[in-house]
Amino acid sequence: MTSDVALLGIRHHGPGSARAVAAALEAWQPDAVLIEGPPEADGIVRLAAEKDLVPPVALLAHAVDDPAKAAFWPYAEFSPEWVAIRYGVERELPVRFIDLPAGYGFSPADAEDPVDSEEPAEAVEPAEPVVEPVADPLAVLAEAAGHDDPERWWEDVVEHRAPGADALAPFAAVAEAMAALRAEGLGESRRDRLREAYMRQQIRAARRAGHGRIAVVCGAFHVPALAAMPTVAHDRALLAELPRKVRTDITWVPWTHRRLSQATGYGAGVQSPGWYHHLFTTEGDPVPRWLTRAAELLRAEDHPVSSAHVIEAVRLARTLAVLRGRPLAGLTETLDAVRAVLCEGSDVALELVRDRLVVGDALGEVPDAAPAVPLQRDLVRLQRSLRLKPEAAPKDLDLDLRKDTDAARSRLLHRLRLLGVDWGVPARSSVNSTGTFRESWRLCWQPEFAVRIAEAAQWGTTVEDAATGKAVGTARAAVELAELTGLVETCLLAGLAGALPAVMRVLADRAALDTDVAHLAGALPALVRALRYGDVRGTDHGALGEVASGLADRICVGLPPACVGLDAEGAAAMRGRLDEVHGAIGLLGSVTRPGSGDPAAPDAPGESAAAESPAAAESPAVAEGLADRWAAALRSLARREPTGGPATGAPGLLRGRAVRLLLDDGRLDSEEAGRRLRLVLSVANAPVDAAGWIEGFLTGGGALLLHDPRLLALLDEWLTGVPGEVFTDVLPLLRRTFAGLEAGVRSTVGSRVAAGPLGEAPVAQASGGALDRDRADAAVPVVALLLGVRPRIPRQAAGRDT
């Protein structure tokens, strides 16, 4: 301390330090406040006086020409810097940030000093180099005091103690301790020396400006370097080493307590921000009130907690503090009491308290006056108009796309995902529905989205324009055909009509040149799924249908030859594509028929427009022709047996799968399927190939073994006849095959095999008598009610009371 400068060394995000700073400022009465932080923020620090700027918040600085280069300085209500900021702006004092400008950290010449936020005591600083192993000053001091836990020691010494009569005395003691550490050369780095030289220059500038009482709020580790002022020439020589400063923008952004608790990325390493907030904002003993909040939380989650539990928990926490020699029950004692009394020993209930109260989901707010790129302002406008408030806690959202507001919400979320802002992630719907008119999302706002929005601003000034520009740019840079078809699907979901023509041109060109059947097969499913969206979203997908039909035709021609000579890994990958293409072609035939809209959404807007599109105008004969060509391709694949070794034919996995798909579609009867199975299981074929055939044939459901005992008998006969030396080779394939069957099927198959020899004759159907139409008609209304359809009353029953 000097006569004109009070150096207030603090630990970032500490409630005890924040209280001590508040008391020291009131006692010192400075006429200028200098704070460790980026000087670029001097122009927006006055926004802290706005009631709409609610912590936790953060200063976000990013390079103007490369927004991906960014750094955050987070502040919570219990941050000492925030207390100093509010003190200065409320009294209209000069408030200046005195750390190195953020622009130096974004310079390419500073690449050897990477951004590292994993610094517990200096977590608000953006870019710290990892030059040498640095010991934790708190750990050294705690060890000298005889404590093995530096966090607990610091809480006892600082965080849990109220300011005394001399408000500046704690800072003098901390400064003396840090001076002793730095005298031993502990923890100093090149970047620290540069930062401290810059801070000293700013203190000199404040003196030259005529300020006689200056308060400097900075990390405690820097206090000794700021107290021992070297010459101006010394500091200028150090600062001459700085790289070129990059042009930088800065603003306030919302932050969260959960992000403060993370020690990596943009976090601050505060393990218990919710607890610290409670310590700072609670007058008197904080333990009873905190345990009361824990009881309220547990009761809301149906845990039986009474006021007697709270009283006993308070007693236990205080007793543990006395036994452990602590001045006040800390978080450790409080959580021990919660586990033992409120949670009755349950760690599951305790984790709920940790998540909701120790960490918490508080999300800050930023006023409209804060600087922002146009894209950010457009997003805020859309969030308000669509009543989608950003929240830090995860939230489920179900959308009905037949409603205008929900459809607009869906488009916004898909557009943001295209821009890399995953505010919403598709989730499994809580409402069972197979229609395309319903979507489910899991929403969770993350602070770093502010950087991604700034980065996406290069594509446009509105969300729609930016998403359109990003889609076109992604299409031109795409390498795989599947990337383009997935992008088309995203454009339709996001309602980006302006991007579709350009993306479709690139897709058509790439599809015409790509001859790899695997690429075509991987691209078709997403393209066909996209065709469905026109029914609900009113999209003209005529050009999409033409490209999809062209891809399907080329797959039908090229699939059988492409399956020859594949190894086990390639065959497994191709089998997945085979199933996807089979479903896609079946769907393509349904969506290209007139009036084939989504059966689950008969009244969806845009249905008539979709029916009039060129794709919908295809005749049923064209769709049936495609289905016939696909069936012919499957038959050709099923016949490609390896006659001269594995490399001369298609793997058994794919041949068996082709037979199963034909059987399920009614293109092959059970007699022919049994004949093919008999041929495959003959002694002339390799057992490994036969096992692969069985895997492909049974994958997706083994109920046909129960309905056709002849197939089960053939399989049983082959399996019992496999030589012992070969059985160990086919066993993994068989285990994998039967493990994929339904549990009921496996159990029934085992029971039938255990019952004795399996005959080849089908199970005789129980003979039934004549149909009692009166009794059948009586059940029609009940069945119709269960199915949710309007019952059709038979003519002969129209006059009866059913």
Side-chain angles (χ1 to χ4, degrees):
M1 303 290 175
T2 63
S3 59
D4 61 341
V5 177
L7 297 174
L8 308 181
I10 50 91
R11 188 187 187 191
H12 304 292
H13 310 299
S17 293
R19 284 193 299 268
V21 166
L25 291 175
E26 288 291 345
W28 180 250
Q29 292 293 312
D31 56 9
V33 179
L34 307 184
I35 301 171
E36 181 183 325
E40 291 93 340
D42 288 349
I44 61 172
V45 69
R46 292 293 166 186
L47 290 175
E50 299 283 342
K51 64 179 181 179
D52 294 333
L53 188 63
V54 181
V57 291
L59 288 169
L60 163 62
H62 63 84
V64 173
D65 297 329
D66 187 3
K69 294 181 178 179
F72 291 88
W73 289 260
Y75 303 114
E77 190 170 354
F78 51 81
S79 299
E81 298 93 337
W82 181 255
V83 171
I85 290 171
R86 291 300 300 265
Y87 177 90
V89 297
E90 288 175 357
R91 290 160 180 78
E92 298 184 353
L93 301 177
V95 178
R96 300 287 183 267
F97 291 98
I98 61 172
D99 205 347
L100 270 180
Y104 288 123
F106 303 143
S107 174
D110 203 36
E112 67 272 12
D113 292 344
V115 173
D116 180 13
S117 300
E118 301 183 41
E119 192 180 17
E122 302 289 343
V124 299
E125 299 165 5
E128 285 295 320
V130 184
V131 177
E132 57 189 15
V134 178
D136 181 8
L138 293 186
V140 176
L141 291 175
E143 183 179 0
H147 290 257
D148 58 355
D149 187 340
E151 293 293 329
R152 181 179 298 182
W153 172 80
W154 182 262
E155 284 191 352
D156 290 347
V157 172
V158 177
E159 307 301 348
H160 290 169
R161 294 190 182 275
D166 186 355
L168 298 178
F171 297 104
V174 170
E176 182 180 357
M178 292 299 167
L181 293 176
R182 295 197 65 154
E184 301 296 328
L186 177 65
E188 291 188 15
S189 67
R190 169 181 171 270
R191 188 173 180 86
D192 277 332
R193 291 189 290 272
L194 290 173
R195 295 172 57 216
E196 289 160 358
Y198 191 89
M199 287 190 238
R200 288 192 294 264
Q201 291 284 58
Q202 299 307 304
I203 295 174
R204 295 187 183 104
R207 284 171 168 165
R208 289 195 301 270
H211 298 298
R213 297 178 70 82
I214 304 169
V216 179
V217 179
C218 63
F221 185 74
H222 303 301
V223 170
L226 302 185
M229 281 276 191
T231 63
V232 175
H234 174 274
D235 287 342
R236 285 179 178 173
L238 278 176
L239 296 174
E241 303 175 11
L242 288 171
R244 179 180 57 85
K245 186 165 65 172
V246 174
R247 194 159 58 96
T248 304
D249 277 346
I250 196 164
T251 187
W252 290 102
V253 295
W255 205 251
T256 66
H257 277 175
R258 193 167 302 280
R259 183 62 68 184
L260 277 172
S261 69
Q262 298 180 3
T264 59
Y266 298 127
V270 182
Q271 298 178 359
S272 50
W275 167 255
Y276 275 8
H277 178 83
H278 179 77
L279 287 181
F280 183 71
T281 58
T282 302
E283 297 291 339
D285 190 349
V287 174
R289 295 189 182 183
W290 196 85
L291 288 171
T292 301
R293 292 177 56 202
E296 292 173 352
L297 171 63
L298 292 171
R299 279 197 295 267
E301 297 294 332
D302 296 329
H303 290 274
V305 179
S306 67
S307 56
H309 285 88
V310 177
I311 295 172
E312 186 59 33
V314 172
R315 290 175 178 171
L316 178 58
R318 290 172 174 170
T319 302
L320 289 174
V322 172
L323 292 174
R324 295 169 181 174
R326 306 195 65 181
L328 180 70
L331 181 60
T332 303
E333 290 72 31
T334 308
L335 288 180
D336 286 345
V338 169
R339 177 195 285 111
V341 180
L342 303 187
C343 300
E344 298 180 346
S346 171
D347 286 334
V348 175
L350 180 65
E351 283 304 312
L352 177 66
V353 175
R354 287 183 185 274
D355 184 69
R356 301 280 185 86
L357 296 183
V358 177
V359 178
D361 288 312
L363 175 65
E365 298 180 11
V366 172
D368 294 338
V373 295
L375 178 60
Q376 173 68 47
R377 297 194 182 281
D378 184 62
L379 175 58
V380 172
R381 178 187 63 81
L382 291 171
Q383 289 171 335
R384 290 174 178 172
S385 64
L386 297 176
R387 298 186 297 280
L388 280 177
K389 183 180 179 181
E391 296 179 0
K395 175 184 177 182
D396 292 328
L397 179 67
D398 289 321
L399 300 178
D400 185 340
L401 301 182
R402 297 171 295 183
K403 300 177 180 178
D404 293 340
T405 300
D406 281 2
R409 289 173 172 174
S410 172
R411 289 192 294 270
L412 173 62
L413 294 174
H414 281 293
R415 289 170 181 175
L416 290 176
R417 280 176 60 81
L418 184 59
L419 294 173
V421 182
D422 292 333
W423 176 23
V425 177
R428 181 180 295 275
S429 174
S430 58
V431 180
N432 292 325
S433 173
T434 58
T436 58
F437 68 93
R438 190 176 296 279
E439 282 184 350
S440 293
W441 296 82
R442 170 64 63 90
L443 303 183
C444 184
W445 186 262
Q446 301 293 341
E448 61 265 28
F449 291 160
V451 175
R452 299 179 189 172
I453 292 170
E455 189 175 6
Q458 62 180 305
W459 299 106
T461 57
T462 67
V463 175
E464 181 176 2
D465 290 345
T468 299
K470 179 69 177 297
V472 174
T474 302
R476 291 170 178 167
V479 177
E480 298 290 339
L481 189 61
E483 293 180 58
L484 288 169
T485 54
L487 183 60
V488 169
E489 182 180 13
T490 302
C491 288
L492 288 172
L493 289 167
L496 300 177
L500 269 178
V503 176
M504 287 301 301
R505 282 195 299 271
V506 178
L507 173 61
D509 294 343
R510 190 68 54 83
L513 297 176
D514 202 328
T515 58
D516 191 326
V517 173
H519 291 172
L520 301 177
L524 181 64
L527 207 57
V528 175
R529 285 195 304 269
L531 282 168
R532 303 182 69 193
Y533 304 142
D535 298 331
V536 173
R537 302 171 188 269
T539 306
D540 182 5
H541 48 225
L544 207 60
E546 294 175 5
V547 175
S549 298
L551 286 180
D553 285 335
R554 294 171 61 190
I555 292 172
C556 291
V557 173
L559 178 68
C563 294
V564 173
L566 294 177
D567 58 11
E569 184 178 353
M574 185 61 78
R575 192 207 72 184
R577 294 191 180 98
L578 194 67
D579 288 343
E580 292 178 352
V581 170
H582 183 75
I585 288 180
L587 184 59
L588 183 61
S590 67
V591 299
T592 56
R593 296 191 186 98
S596 59
D598 183 0
D603 300 324
E607 189 173 68
S608 60
E612 295 172 0
S613 67
E618 273 193 57
S619 65
V622 174
E624 289 298 329
L626 177 59
D628 291 339
R629 291 192 293 276
W630 175 244
L634 292 177
R635 291 192 184 95
S636 176
L637 174 60
R639 290 193 297 267
R640 291 182 178 261
E641 300 179 359
T643 56
T648 62
L653 177 69
L654 300 180
R655 302 196 323 273
R657 193 62 190 154
V659 172
R660 176 61 184 272
L661 295 177
L662 290 169
L663 179 65
D664 289 347
D665 270 4
R667 303 271 181 173
L668 203 70
D669 57 27
S670 58
E671 292 284 347
E672 178 63 16
R675 185 186 72 82
R676 290 176 182 268
L677 178 61
R678 188 178 296 108
L679 291 175
V680 170
L681 299 182
S682 65
V683 295
N685 286 337
V688 174
D689 185 73
W693 198 98
I694 293 170
E695 181 182 2
F697 185 70
L698 294 182
T699 298
L704 54 87
L705 293 177
L706 305 180
H707 298 310
D708 195 339
R710 290 170 298 181
L711 299 180
L712 182 58
L714 287 172
L715 182 60
D716 180 62
E717 181 183 354
W718 171 79
L719 187 58
T720 55
V722 173
E725 63 274 10
V726 181
F727 184 77
T728 55
D729 295 333
V730 300
L731 181 59
L733 295 175
L734 295 174
R735 287 176 62 90
R736 184 172 63 194
T737 299
F738 283 92
L741 301 182
E742 303 89 336
V745 171
R746 292 200 305 270
S747 176
T748 306
V749 167
S751 300
R752 289 190 180 180
V753 172
L758 297 171
E760 294 197 6
V763 178
Q765 299 293 328
S767 60
L771 175 65
D772 188 338
R773 294 189 176 276
D774 289 339
R775 297 179 64 188
D777 292 345
V780 169
V782 177
V783 174
L785 180 62
L786 293 175
L787 296 178
V789 299
R790 185 175 181 179
R792 182 178 62 84
I793 302 177
R795 187 176 305 167
Q796 64 269 25
R800 294 198 303 268
D801 181 12
T802 58

